[in-house]
Each structure stands twice: as structure tokens, then as C-alpha cells.
Amino acid sequence: MIKVYTTLLFITCSLMVSAQGTRTGRQQMNIGRFYGRILDAVSSKGVDAASVQLILSRYDSVAKTKKDTVVSGMLTNKTGDFSLENLPLFGRYQLRVTAIGYKLIEEPVRFDIKPGGDPGSFASAAQKDLGNFKLNIDPETLESVTIAGTKPLMQMGIDRKIFNVDKNISSTGGTAVDVMRNIPALNVDIDGNVTLRNSAPQIFVDGRPSTLSLDQIPSDAIESVEMITNPSAKYDASGGQSGILNIVLKKNRKLGYNGGIRAGVDTRGKFNGGGDINVRQGKVNMFANVFINQRKSKNWGETDRISLLETPNSTTFQENNGIFNGGFMFTRFGLDYFLDNRNTLSISQNIGGGNFDMDNRNNLAYGNTGSTEVETQYRNTLGESKFRFYSTNLGYKRLFTKPGRELTADLSYNTNRNTNLSDIHIRSFNDPDQVDPKTPEQLQQVNGSGNNKFFTAQADYVTPVNDKIKWEAGVRAQVRNFASSQLNFFDQVPQTQLDNQFEYSDYVYAGYLTYSQKVRESFSYQVGLRAESSSYNGEQIGKDSYENKFPISLFPSIFLTKGIGEKQDLQLNYSRKINRPNFFQLMPNTDFSDTLNLQTGNPDLRPEFTHSLELSYQKTYGKRNNNFLVSLFGKYTTDLIARYQSLREFGDTSAFVSSYINANTAYAAGIELIFRNNLSSWWELNLNTNVYYSKINGSNVVADLENERVSSFTKINNNFKLPAGFTIQLSGDYQSRSALPVSTSNSGGGGQRGGGGWMGGSPSTTQGYIDANYGVDLGLKKDFKIRKNQASLSFNINDIFRTRRYFVHSEAAAFVQNEWRRRDPQVGRLTFSYRFGKMDMSLFKRKNNRTETDSGAGTMEQ
């Protein structure tokens, strides 16, 4: 029946066409339709309110000549879509696209109607998709336009918060750790370990897991940081109690070339510098970055411990003074190859490494309560560490004619290797002044090395059914391989009983499906289900092997969003997550380098599972589009991976060792308030307050093992725009007394133990708290021009009042310990940066070459 109707339609149209003739002026069959989309050539986003006109050249019988006539036209919608309907099927048309600030596009178009052809193709030929047209910016137009709007320090999204790093003066010339200190809701301790709602988040780089630690990523290489507090089923289910921090590295795709250089020095003589370059021409976009950062860090503190094992109780007092010098380099380069305007291949490579020297001085005093006799000891550590990392990323992106439909595929391979050599000089004395030696000097040597390999493959497909319904699906495979070796010596004699070699492999295979629907204008929902199969196995060479498998785990997620008026949203979401033990938590290797804080892993750890519920209300208000976000959150975790200190036997002696356990359950709940206010044209204020309750139940390990506490955290950031190109940033944070984080941060890494950063950390235990602390940072920036290019000079200083004093109280059945430490206060940093570029769309072309397709008229996609 369809073929009959199609054939009749074809015959009817053919008869009408043959009857009318091209010069008789009779009306043609007006059933044709041209449609497509107008995109920005740089961002690939739809251009709103672009003018689309269809011009037909017709014969004017009076003037005896052809005359251009506009037969149809419209303005594009917000997504850049246009549709020109009721058009004659025969004729040669000219499509003209214009928009403010862009270059004109003119393209000949026509319907592919072939008389005498297949009748079944006639109807489809009358509906023609012209594809996507990409508008290129017109530099001559923009020269006379002043851009008044800039990105705010923080942007709100329904499922994430986006922090724009280029607005953060105080992190200029630093590392990703400095960036995290200024992000709302994030708490960063003295060692650079990051927590979100009192748990360590997953650290991603460009949307994928990475072996890089935060102090290995220069802040100047970061475009933005995305904070996802409760990821949907689309994202990796790892993360447990916390969410995801996605670090988006800078990458520019502007036509022509652009780049920048920067250099800085701080008050301790540390140098940092680097540059980036991006060149795009035709089908190729190339980019390269290089950054160098020196490290000159100082730390000092005291530890006071009372042991309850003996009567009278023994006491230990330790003074610490450490210096950590060295530097690292980070390089990144790659290219995007545009096969056509719908298919793009990308490849990028990260290469870097660092060398560091440590001089850590410890003086210890041993005694008993009620006694004046004191034995003293020095433990001076001279060490060096090296790390090297390599990361290769391959990507493919396919855009379809239907807006919103796309396919992406990625391959990522990361490797990181390290060596750590320590010479620990030890000597005991019979007196406090260390003039009466009790023993000759001993030399303890620890030679460690390790490597980390991380491979991921992922594919995602998004397809909208219509403007209200969308499906998303994807698959992912992840393989991680770790190896570690530690050799111990005393006075050059190998201590093979203390040596350890450990290998570990982890496999995760996952798939997900999500369904989104907009039921009506003010209500939408998304449901998703993720399935993951995971396993890991490890071997302590020559000692034992370990294995654990989880065939299938399901992770559902539900997001409900309700619009309340034009500028208010209410969202309720739920997800189930998993936190698998990491390499350092599993490795059963005791670290003896700090006699007061021995550390080891637990190869019998099981993953923890968390149910997360969050209710959020967001409101935009005022003439300056101020924003307010309040979130109520709750988490319930089973088999919580928690830190715990216990007494262990080592031959004829015993000592306290920090390790990890699976506690029964944990609860966390709280409220988070975020304000973003443009108080005036020159003052932007961002305020974040987080109050949370946490409770750990470890009765499965010790009958009365619990840690329960209510804590609060507040962070404020002020940006003041002053005349003559000056900007001032004043930020501060306050952390009330809080429970010790229950898991290690992903920021400690690069081959080091995860719990204590570069300097070693606080004792790993659920039994204790961190005392209240606060700090204030200041930044000043001056923007100016050099030969029409942008330059800036910035100065920032951290902890200007020297108040970030990290105090930890920890206790167990047999000891009580108080510790305080301070690290790098009042360090000022001066940085100069210079940006250059030219939007030259014929950079590599001969001036007389007129056959190139991406000339100033723009690019057309088919």
C-alpha cells in the first residue's frame, strides 16, 4: 500500500512539473524541507538567534534578468536548529547564515530530485538534512566588542559544581593541592590529603582514573575542577562514602595559534615556570604543555605519647624538624584529528617525574611517669625519592545528524614507577643533652621501589528519542597492576625477615544503562543501573598469596528534579557505591621508618558498600544572578574500611602498628550550604558551610570500638575587582574538631604511602580526633597588555597568620598520644604570565590557494 501511494505521488508531481515549465511562472510543488543546525566552530555548541535565509534566483520578465529572492528564513533556537519548510522542489538555492560576531556562511543547496528514478526515494529526497554548519569568529568584528562577562569562580550544575581555576589567584604557580584548598566543601590537611564530607573522594583526570597524585599536577595546567557529590550509574561505582573530583586539564581548540608562558619564584627561592602552545589548522589541532616546579618544604612538630602497658607508664616525647627539597616536571602533548565534522580522533601523552631529597631530624626522649631519669635518642633520616609517570590516552568521538546523539570511545594507559632510599642514623644517650652515648651510631637503611600500571577502556553512547526522552549506555574495563619491594638493612647487614615484595592485580568490568525523561516542563527524572564484576589477587613473594572475587554487583541510581518557578530547583537522588581497598591498604609490609607510627596493610580487606541519599535545593536570585544551594545528605556504609592501631609482636619486642580493618557499619549525615553572591560589580563572595555527623561502629574488632562526632567546616572566598586591572582574592577556612578521616586520600601517591603525603602523616586510627584549625590566604593580581596580548603579575601568600597548626589526638586500649605539626606557613609566591595568539585560519596555507574548504566562510558538516 505504501508503494502504491508513493508511486501515485511521484506520478502526480511529475505531471505537475512537466505542465508548468520553468518560465511560465506557474507555482511548483511546495513540499520540500531543508533542516540542519548552526554551531560555534570552537565550542561546537548551538548558536542561538543566528539568521538563516534561503535565496532563490528567479527570472524577472520585466527586467529581463535573474533576481535573487528570499523564499524562506528564520532565527535558530537555543540549540542552533533550523527548519525551512514548504519549499519548491526544483531550483538552485543559496543558503545564507549570519550571526553577530561571526563570519558569513553562504552555501549552494538543492534537493536531489531525479525524474525517472526510484519512486520510493522521492518522498525522502523532499526532506533534506543539510547537516551542521560551523560559524567561525570574525576577529575584525570582535576587535570593537568589549567582553564584560567572565566565568565566575564557581558554577552550579544539577549533578556537579564546577570550580574555574583561572579565577583562583592564590593557587597560581602551585599544584593541584593549592587548587583544592579553595574549592567549597573540600578540606585539605597539612599533608595535602583531600576529604569531601570527611571521606576521601575519587580523583579523576579528564574524566578517567589516573596514577597521578595531586602534588604532581601543576595548578597552571588545570582548566577546572568538577565536584560530583553523588555520581549516577553512568560513573564508576568506586568512591564509597565520597564522590568524584574530576580535574579538567587545559586544552584549546581555537583556530590559528595561541599559547602562554609563565614563571614564578617564592620567598624560599623556589622556581616554577612553564608554557603551553596550541595550533589548529584544517583538520588538525595540536597542543603541548610543559611545567617545572621546585620543592623546598619545611615541617616541624612534636609528639607526646603515654604507654599504658607498663606500670609505671612509659612516656615518649619526640621533636621533629624536616626539610624536603627537589622538583618535578610535567609535560603534556597531543593532537585532535578531525576526520570530518562529525568524527574526531584524539591522542594525548603525559610524561613527567621528579627527584626529591629529605633531611628529617628527630630527637626522642624516653622515660617513666614519676621518674627524672631520661634516655634520649636521635633518628636522623637522609633520603631520596624518584618517580616517573607516563600516560597515553586515545579517544574517538562520533556526532550524528540528530542533535544530542553521539558515540565516544576511549583507551587510557597510565604507568608510574618510583624508588625510595632512606638512610636512618640512630644513636642513644644516657642524658638529655646527648653528651653521654649509650650506644654507637647505628645505620638503618630502607630501599624501596614500586610500579603502578593502570589500563582502562570505555565506550559511551547517547541517543535522544525526542526532546524529552534520552537513553545512555556504556561499557568499561579496568585493569590495575601494582608491584612493590622493600629491602631492610642494619649496619649494612640485610634483614631478610623484614623484607617484603608484593604484587597485586585488580580487575573491574562494568556496563550501565540510564533512562531520562522530562515528564513536563517542571519535572524530570533519571533512572540508571550499573553492573560491575570485580576481582583482585595479590602475592607476597615467598610468603603468601591472597585472592577475592565479586562476580556481579549492582549499583542503581535515581535522580528526581522538580523546577519551582523559573529560578528554583529541587532534586532528590539516591545511589549505591563501592569502595575497593587500594594497594597500600592491602600490602602487608610493615614500614619501620617512624618508630612511633609503624604502618602496614591488610590483605584480607573486603570492599565497602555505601547507600547514599541527597536532597538539594538550588535558587538563583537577584539582578546579578546570585546562587544559593542547600544539600541534605546521608550515607550508610557496611564493611567500612577504617584505620586502626593495635599492639603487635615483633620477635622479642612489641609495638603499635597502624593498619586497616573492615568495621561493621558507619553512618554519616549532614547539611551543606553554598552561597555564590555578586554583591556588586567589583565584589564576588563565595561562602560554604558544612555541618556533619559521623559514627563508626567497630564492635566486630573491639567490643567498645566506636567513634562518634559532630563537626563543621566553613570556607569563604572573596574576589575584589579594582580599577586599573587589579584583583584581590581573600580566602579563609575553619575546621572544627572532627573525627579522623576513615580512609586515605588519593592525593598521597607517586609511589609513597597513601596516608601521610610526602612527610609522613598522623597515626592511622579510628580512635581519635583532629582539633580545630583555621587559616587565611591572600592573592593580588594585576592584568595589563603587552603588544595587544594579555599579561598578568600575581602575588599570593598562604597561611598569612601562621594559624594552620595540625593537632591530632589518638588513643587505644594501651596508649594515649597527642601530636601537632606545622608545614610551610607564610610562603609568598610571585608569578608572571603572558598569553599570546592569533586567529589565523590560513596559517599553513599558500595565499593563492583558494580550494581549501575551511576558509573564512566557515565549515559545513554533512
Side-chain angles (χ1 to χ4, degrees):
M1 183 65 70
I2 295 176
K3 290 185 177 180
V4 173
Y5 283 130
T6 303
T7 304
L8 290 174
L9 176 64
F10 177 76
I11 294 173
T12 302
C13 292
S14 299
L15 290 173
M16 294 182 66
V17 169
S18 60
Q20 55 105 24
T22 57
R23 295 190 180 184
T24 62
R26 298 177 185 176
Q27 187 177 9
Q28 295 188 33
M29 191 70 173
N30 296 344
I31 62 171
R33 174 179 174 238
F34 287 130
Y35 62 97
R37 195 178 188 190
I38 309 301
L39 304 176
D40 181 284
V42 176
S43 66
S44 294
K45 293 183 179 179
V47 177
D48 187 16
S51 174
V52 181
Q53 292 181 322
L54 191 65
I55 301 170
L56 179 64
S57 182
R58 287 175 171 170
Y59 183 78
D60 189 337
S61 59
V62 177
K64 307 296 182 181
T65 185
K66 287 187 176 182
K67 182 179 180 181
D68 290 341
T69 303
V70 177
V71 295
S72 184
M74 65 173 294
L75 297 178
T76 58
N77 60 17
K78 292 182 179 180
T79 61
D81 292 323
F82 69 91
S83 179
L84 306 176
E85 302 176 1
N86 301 321
L87 304 173
L89 294 176
F90 296 90
R92 295 180 180 273
Y93 295 96
Q94 190 81 3
L95 190 74
R96 178 178 297 170
V97 181
T98 58
I100 297 176
Y102 293 92
K103 289 191 173 184
L104 168 70
I105 290 181
E106 286 186 319
E107 292 285 349
V109 296
R110 63 180 299 176
F111 293 104
D112 298 324
I113 304 296
K114 298 178 180 180
D118 179 17
S121 64
F122 183 85
S124 60
Q127 305 286 318
K128 185 169 183 179
D129 178 8
L130 298 179
N132 294 343
F133 292 81
K134 289 195 172 183
L135 290 175
N136 289 313
I137 295 175
D138 188 348
E140 294 181 0
T141 303
L142 290 183
E143 283 181 356
S144 60
V145 178
T146 300
I147 305 298
T150 59
K151 288 183 180 180
L153 184 70
M154 184 183 67
Q155 294 174 283
M156 300 285 192
I158 293 298
D159 65 339
R160 70 192 63 196
K161 305 173 189 71
I162 302 171
F163 181 83
N164 295 305
V165 176
D166 61 339
K167 307 300 294 183
N168 183 32
I169 303 173
S170 61
S171 65
T172 303
T175 67
V177 175
D178 301 294
V179 173
M180 300 302 170
R181 294 189 192 278
N182 287 276
I183 296 181
L186 293 185
N187 192 7
V188 184
D189 69 14
I190 193 172
D191 298 305
N193 297 310
V194 178
T195 54
L196 171 62
R197 297 174 179 175
N198 208 40
S199 296
Q202 288 287 102
I203 304 296
F204 283 12
V205 176
D206 286 333
R208 297 291 181 265
S210 174
T211 59
L212 292 176
S213 63
L214 291 180
D215 48 10
Q216 295 170 2
I217 305 175
S219 62
D220 297 324
I222 302 173
E223 175 74 22
S224 62
V225 176
E226 299 174 345
M227 182 169 62
I228 308 172
T229 54
N230 195 16
S232 69
K234 178 179 180 179
Y235 297 94
D236 186 5
S238 299
Q241 286 203 346
S242 197
I244 293 174
L245 290 181
N246 181 34
I247 298 174
V248 181
L249 299 179
K250 290 179 178 179
K251 187 177 182 181
N252 207 326
R253 288 183 174 179
K254 292 181 179 179
L255 289 170
Y257 68 91
N258 61 87
I261 56 174
R262 61 195 58 83
V265 64
D266 71 10
T267 51
R268 290 183 179 167
K270 292 186 299 182
F271 169 80
N272 71 84
D276 61 271
I277 184 71
N278 192 95
V279 179
R280 180 178 177 182
Q281 180 63 39
K283 293 187 174 183
V284 179
N285 178 71
M286 297 176 290
F287 58 91
N289 312 69
V290 60
F291 299 94
I292 300 174
N293 202 323
Q294 278 187 303
R295 181 72 59 82
K296 294 183 180 179
S297 182
K298 296 181 180 180
N299 75 102
W300 52 93
E302 295 177 350
T303 303
D304 192 353
R305 171 181 287 187
I306 299 177
S307 176
L308 308 178
L309 291 176
E310 307 92 0
T311 303
N313 298 331
S314 63
T315 62
T316 303
F317 179 77
Q318 174 180 286
E319 291 181 316
N320 170 264
N321 196 322
I323 299 175
F324 192 73
N325 294 330
F328 71 91
M329 181 176 70
F330 175 91
T331 60
R332 181 170 182 259
F333 55 89
L335 63 86
D336 304 301
Y337 181 71
F338 307 99
L339 299 171
D340 52 43
N341 287 326
R342 296 192 185 279
N343 295 273
T344 304
L345 290 175
S346 301
I347 182 171
S348 64
Q349 179 75 49
N350 297 338
I351 300 176
N355 297 338
F356 299 93
D357 296 323
M358 177 177 65
D359 185 353
N360 199 36
R361 308 277 172 166
N362 290 281
N363 286 313
L364 299 96
Y366 303 96
N368 295 306
T369 55
S371 173
T372 58
E373 295 184 5
V374 176
E375 176 184 328
T376 60
Q377 181 187 82
Y378 67 70
R379 291 178 58 88
N380 298 330
T381 304
L382 299 176
E384 62 178 26
S385 62
K386 300 178 181 179
F387 72 91
R388 302 290 184 268
F389 65 82
Y390 307 89
S391 174
T392 303
N393 299 278
L394 298 174
Y396 168 74
K397 187 171 186 177
R398 160 69 171 165
L399 299 177
F400 295 86
T401 303
K402 186 172 184 178
R405 179 177 292 175
E406 65 179 45
L407 172 68
T408 59
D410 300 278
L411 296 175
S412 176
Y413 178 74
N414 297 268
T415 181
N416 187 318
R417 67 175 187 267
N418 66 86
T419 59
N420 306 282
L421 307 177
S422 298
D423 289 342
I424 306 171
H425 300 267
I426 307 168
R427 193 170 192 181
S428 298
F429 299 85
N430 292 312
D431 63 308
D433 298 325
Q434 297 187 352
V435 294
D436 182 14
K438 182 179 180 180
T439 63
E441 185 176 84
Q442 296 176 304
L443 177 62
Q444 176 186 354
Q445 293 176 297
V446 181
N447 297 341
S449 63
N451 63 74
N452 176 348
K453 298 177 181 179
F454 201 157
F455 172 78
T456 59
Q458 182 163 334
D460 300 275
Y461 177 67
V462 181
T463 177
V465 178
N466 50 45
D467 60 346
K468 294 184 178 180
I469 298 177
K470 181 175 68 173
W471 288 93
E472 296 183 66
V475 292
R476 184 172 185 268
Q478 168 187 303
V479 179
R480 296 186 295 180
N481 294 296
F482 298 87
S484 178
S485 173
Q486 187 182 78
L487 306 178
N488 295 271
F489 303 85
F490 281 102
D491 293 329
Q492 308 295 327
V493 178
Q495 305 294 311
T496 55
Q497 74 278 10
L498 301 178
D499 292 345
N500 184 74
Q501 288 181 289
F502 191 81
E503 295 179 353
Y504 162 80
S505 296
D506 175 274
Y507 308 89
V508 180
Y509 303 100
Y512 75 90
L513 181 68
T514 66
Y515 174 82
S516 305
Q517 182 175 5
K518 193 173 186 179
V519 179
R520 50 182 180 268
E521 196 63 31
S522 61
F523 179 73
S524 61
Y525 69 91
Q526 180 196 88
V527 293
L529 182 65
R530 187 180 187 91
E532 291 193 353
S533 170
S534 62
S535 64
Y536 63 82
N537 56 73
E539 180 182 5
Q540 199 172 7
I541 307 300
K543 296 181 181 180
D544 206 348
S545 61
Y546 316 91
E547 185 177 16
N548 213 331
K549 294 183 178 181
F550 298 87
I552 288 290
S553 297
L554 298 179
F555 304 96
S557 69
I558 302 174
F559 282 70
L560 307 175
T561 303
K562 169 69 174 176
I564 308 173
E566 294 184 358
K567 296 185 176 182
Q568 299 180 75
D569 293 293
L570 188 66
Q571 185 182 89
L572 177 67
N573 55 68
Y574 161 82
S575 68
R576 182 175 187 252
K577 297 296 179 184
I578 187 174
N579 185 30
R580 301 178 181 90
N582 64 39
F583 171 57
F584 297 106
Q585 293 170 331
L586 290 167
M587 184 176 65
N589 175 41
T590 304
D591 184 355
F592 293 91
S593 56
D594 184 347
T595 56
L596 293 186
N597 297 308
L598 304 185
Q599 301 184 54
T600 189
N602 178 5
D604 295 324
L605 280 179
R606 303 180 304 275
E608 66 183 31
F609 291 88
T610 298
H611 299 271
S612 179
L613 186 68
E614 186 172 312
L615 175 65
S616 298
Y617 168 77
Q618 180 179 234
K619 177 179 176 60
T620 302
Y621 60 94
K623 296 181 180 180
R624 302 183 186 276
N625 290 324
N626 298 319
N627 199 285
F628 167 67
L629 176 67
V630 56
S631 300
L632 298 173
F633 60 90
K635 299 177 186 292
Y636 171 73
T637 303
T638 58
D639 287 330
L640 175 78
I641 298 175
R643 301 190 242 186
Y644 178 71
Q645 268 193 347
S646 60
L647 186 67
R648 298 193 182 187
E649 301 294 330
F650 295 94
D652 298 332
T653 63
S654 59
F656 289 99
V657 180
S658 294
S659 189
Y660 300 89
I661 60 171
N662 284 112
N664 274 345
T665 56
Y667 308 86
I671 181 171
E672 183 176 82
L673 304 173
I674 296 179
F675 298 86
R676 183 176 66 83
N677 294 280
N678 294 304
L679 300 180
S680 68
S681 59
W682 54 272
W683 184 7
E684 178 185 335
L685 172 67
N686 292 275
L687 176 65
N688 161 239
T689 296
N690 193 324
V691 180
Y692 55 88
Y693 162 83
S694 62
K695 180 180 179 180
I696 300 172
N697 176 12
S699 58
N700 58 312
V701 179
V702 178
D704 59 347
L705 178 57
E706 285 190 356
N707 195 340
E708 184 177 9
R709 190 167 300 279
V710 176
S711 307
S712 66
F713 175 66
T714 300
K715 184 177 290 186
I716 187 171
N717 187 293
N718 295 275
N719 281 278
F720 304 97
K721 297 180 181 179
L722 305 181
F726 282 97
T727 304
I728 294 178
Q729 184 180 85
L730 181 65
S731 59
D733 58 80
Y734 173 80
Q735 170 70 64
S736 72
R737 178 174 290 186
S738 60
L740 286 170
V742 296
S743 59
T744 56
S745 169
N746 289 292
S747 65
Q752 310 299 314
R753 277 204 175 270
W758 292 103
M759 295 295 186
S762 61
S764 301
T765 174
T766 58
Q767 314 107 294
Y769 60 82
I770 303 172
D771 214 352
N773 62 87
Y774 66 95
V776 179
D777 304 318
L778 178 67
L780 175 64
K781 183 179 180 182
K782 163 66 175 175
D783 294 319
F784 53 95
K785 295 283 188 178
I786 299 180
R787 294 184 178 181
K788 296 185 178 181
N789 291 319
Q790 187 69 33
S792 65
L793 191 65
S794 62
F795 177 77
N796 56 74
I797 183 170
N798 73 306
D799 195 13
I800 57 179
F801 300 117
R802 297 176 66 92
T803 52
R804 287 196 177 106
R805 184 174 178 267
Y806 190 69
F807 179 89
V808 179
H809 171 83
S810 55
E811 59 183 73
F815 78 94
V816 176
Q817 177 175 303
N818 291 309
E819 174 195 9
W820 70 264
R821 288 184 297 132
R822 178 174 281 131
R823 180 177 178 183
D824 294 332
Q826 294 181 322
V827 175
R829 185 166 53 234
L830 182 68
T831 305
F832 169 79
S833 65
Y834 174 73
R835 301 295 306 174
F836 60 86
K838 183 177 181 181
M839 294 184 61
D840 188 349
M841 286 165 278
S842 58
L843 189 63
F844 301 122
K845 299 178 183 178
R846 296 178 181 176
K847 293 184 178 180
N848 62 349
N849 186 355
R850 299 182 181 179
T851 63
E852 292 288 332
T853 58
D854 80 338
S855 61
T859 305
M860 177 180 176
E861 284 190 320
Q862 294 292 345

